[in-house]
Amino acid sequence: MNASFKKQLSQLYNEVNQEIYSTGVSKQKIDVVENRIVIFAQTKRSPLISALGRRYPELTLSVDGALATEYKHSLKERIEEQFGLTVTAIFKDYDAVSQHACTVIYVKESLDTSHK
């Protein structure tokens, strides 16, 4: 896998994170195998969500879900536009306690040969 592809993807992932959650990523590790991209990241929880969570924990769950959906939609569009890939699915989860996130991106193309 081309190091430039991973660097560009890392920057894109951080940009989308800043746009949706108003906070950047402090650490990232990107693994690419065939048509799968797995991104492990550490990031702080959005201050707005943290503020809501103190008094409205049930609302926080709804907001988390809505933001995750927006995040995946934006990330999909930007990956397809920037890299010319066809994203078939994105899965994302975030653990607020450890502040770790995992994002799995499936693309139609094989990345082992298309970005060397």
Side-chain angles (χ1 to χ4, degrees), residues 50-66:
S50 294
L52 284 175
R54 289 185 210 115
R55 292 189 191 209
Y56 309 100
E58 66 288 345
L59 181 59
T60 303
L61 291 173
S62 296
V63 171
D64 275 338

Side-chain angles (χ1 to χ4, degrees), residues 6-73:
K6 285 186 177 182
K7 182 177 181 180
Q8 291 175 29
L9 182 60
S10 174
Q11 291 170 342
L12 176 64
Y13 184 89
N14 193 42
E15 287 170 11
V16 173
N17 207 77
Q18 288 175 334
E19 289 169 12
I20 301 294
Y21 296 105
S22 300
T23 183
V25 175
S26 59
K27 293 181 185 178
Q28 276 186 74
K29 180 171 182 344
I30 299 175
D31 293 317
V32 179
V33 178
E34 296 173 5
N35 68 330
R36 297 175 305 274
I37 303 165
V38 180
I39 303 171
F40 293 100
Q42 187 169 13
T43 181
K44 292 190 179 196
R45 187 162 180 81
S46 167
L48 299 173
I49 296 173
S50 294
L52 284 175
R54 289 185 210 115
R55 292 189 191 209
Y56 309 100
E58 66 288 345
L59 181 59
T60 303
L61 291 173
S62 296
V63 171
D64 275 338
L67 288 173
T69 298
E70 286 300 313
Y71 185 93
K72 293 186 288 184
H73 180 72

Side-chain angles (χ1 to χ4, degrees), residues 59-103:
L59 181 59
T60 303
L61 291 173
S62 296
V63 171
D64 275 338
L67 288 173
T69 298
E70 286 300 313
Y71 185 93
K72 293 186 288 184
H73 180 72
S74 181
L75 187 61
K76 177 184 189 292
E77 284 183 344
R78 307 252 315 256
I79 287 172
E80 289 181 339
E81 180 181 300
Q82 184 170 335
F83 299 108
L85 298 169
T86 305
V87 176
T88 56
I90 297 180
F91 304 97
K92 181 174 175 36
D93 197 15
Y94 178 72
D95 181 73
V97 175
S98 69
Q99 299 183 337
H100 284 88
C102 179
T103 304

Side-chain angles (χ1 to χ4, degrees), residues 1 5 32 34-35 37 85 107 109-115:
M1 174 49 48
F5 172 73
V32 179
E34 296 173 5
N35 68 330
I37 303 165
L85 298 169
V107 296
E109 300 80 6
S110 174
L111 296 170
D112 288 339
T113 59
S114 65
H115 288 91

